[in-house]
């Protein structure tokens, strides 16, 4: 069974640009979560999608947005990039909308802002 | 919202010794507590989880205990091996509304010295 896959592996952008990160969940998983892992700050919750809807959002500005497609894959968009957006962006997936099922992570996209 | 504190931030042990990492959480309604291991440059991997109706769970050399009254949970690794060296994250999942998400601790860097 394939795990959570993310693309691209690395992304280099400059300030003010826009970035799009992609995630494919484990087959059968309907929930997709996005996290930001900046150096020394642990994993910060960004967004949760389930069945195509945004279910919860972390304390991030509106320029962080995303969507979930009918096949449950997801996209994270970051507009007006700032230097502090440089981080590893991790996607996770799980089954069930409100069940306490484990989240399984992808390898992440390393976003670097120059 | 939920707040998770994790201690210690770094832990160094000799091979064969035990390691204990402790976490406290603030939301008494939290009901799911996973632990993740993240090796350098790799994805976080779920190593064990516990639900609020259970006080202790064990899987080979790894065990987790939960004290709901005190709102803390701990990871215990016995007979540590060099391959246990990694960053360990605890997390708590709240219930209801904006708390329905995983909140992570800041991580513990465990080093097992041969």
């Amino acid at each position: 069974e394939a795990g959570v896959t993310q693309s691209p592996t690395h992304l280099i952008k400059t300030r003010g640009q826009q970035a799009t990160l992609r995630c494919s969940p484990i087959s059968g998983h309907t929930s997709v979560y996005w996290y930001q892992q900046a150096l020394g700050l642990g994993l910060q919750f960004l967004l949760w999608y389930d069945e195509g809807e945004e279910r919860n959002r972390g304390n991030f500005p509106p320029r962080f947005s995303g969507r979930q497609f009918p096949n449950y894959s997801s996209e994270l968009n970051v507009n007006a990039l700032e230097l502090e957006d440089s981080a590893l962006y991790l996607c996770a997936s799980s089954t069930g909308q409100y069940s306490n099922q484990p989240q399984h992570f992808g390898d992440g996209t390393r976003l670097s802002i120059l | 919202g939920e707040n998770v504190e994790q201690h210690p931030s770094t832990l160094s042990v000799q091979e064969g010794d035990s390691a204990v990492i402790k976490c406290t959480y603030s939301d008494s309604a939290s009901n799911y507590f996973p632990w993740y291991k993240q090796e350098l440059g790799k994805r976080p991997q779920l190593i064990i989880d516990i639900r609020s109706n259970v006080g202790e769970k064990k899987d080979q050399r790894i065990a987790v205990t939960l004290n709901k009254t005190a709102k803390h949970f701990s990871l215990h690794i016995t007979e540590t091996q060099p391959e246990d060296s990694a960053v360990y994250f605890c997390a708590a999942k709240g219930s209801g509304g904006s708390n329905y998400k995983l909140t992570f601790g800041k991580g513990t860097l465990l080093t097992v010295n041969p």
Side-chain angles (χ1 to χ4, degrees):
Chain A
E1 177 185 272
V4 177
T5 58
Q6 293 186 243
S7 64
T9 306
H10 294 93
L11 192 54
I12 299 174
K13 295 285 185 177
T14 58
R15 285 180 60 189
Q17 285 189 312
Q18 185 256 352
T20 298
L21 290 64
R22 297 180 175 83
C23 172
S24 291
I26 292 171
S27 177
H29 287 189
T30 61
S31 278
V32 171
Y33 311 82
W34 287 95
Y35 295 89
Q36 181 193 69
Q37 187 173 31
L39 202 60
L41 292 179
L43 289 92
Q44 304 293 316
F45 169 74
L46 264 167
L47 289 159
W48 168 31
Y49 292 95
D50 185 83
E51 298 287 357
E53 300 285 332
E54 182 181 302
R55 301 297 181 182
N56 204 351
R57 181 181 182 85
N59 294 326
F60 282 83
R63 58 191 185 82
F64 287 84
S65 65
R67 54 181 172 167
Q68 186 178 34
F69 300 98
N71 66 353
Y72 303 114
S73 67
S74 177
E75 212 173 70
L76 174 68
N77 295 293
V78 188
N79 294 320
L81 287 164
E82 300 179 3
L83 293 177
E84 53 264 34
D85 296 334
S86 294
L88 179 67
Y89 288 84
L90 290 161
C91 171
S93 72
S94 74
T95 61
Q97 181 178 353
Y98 292 107
S99 60
N100 289 328
Q101 294 302 310
Q103 293 183 19
H104 299 277
F105 284 86
D107 287 329
T109 292
R110 174 74 60 185
L111 177 61
S112 299
I113 313 302
L114 304 179
Chain B
E2 175 71 278
N3 183 47
V4 176
E5 299 282 342
Q6 183 172 347
H7 299 281
S9 56
T10 61
L11 180 59
S12 181
V13 300
Q14 289 300 121
E15 181 177 0
D17 288 350
S18 294
V20 180
I21 302 171
K22 299 181 179 181
C23 290
T24 60
Y25 60 97
S26 60
D27 182 2
S28 57
S30 290
N31 54 17
Y32 175 64
F33 307 90
W35 286 87
Y36 287 85
K37 173 184 179 182
Q38 188 176 29
E39 297 177 63
L40 190 62
K42 296 191 175 180
R43 67 179 72 184
Q45 291 210 312
L46 179 75
I47 55 172
I48 197 167
D49 58 8
I50 192 167
R51 291 168 176 78
S52 60
N53 58 343
V54 176
E56 183 174 356
K57 184 177 178 180
K58 190 172 182 180
D59 183 4
Q60 299 183 334
R61 295 185 298 109
I62 293 173
V64 58
T65 58
L66 171 65
N67 183 328
K68 285 188 65 180
T69 303
K71 290 189 285 186
H72 68 69
F73 56 113
S74 301
L75 178 72
H76 304 253
I77 306 174
T78 59
E79 300 171 22
T80 54
Q81 302 166 3
E83 49 266 39
D84 294 329
S85 296
V87 178
Y88 290 80
F89 293 97
C90 65
K93 190 173 189 182
S95 59
S98 61
N99 284 337
Y100 202 82
K101 62 183 181 184
L102 272 183
T103 301
F104 284 82
K106 292 194 183 305
T108 296
L109 174 61
L110 173 64
T111 303
V112 180
N113 302 300

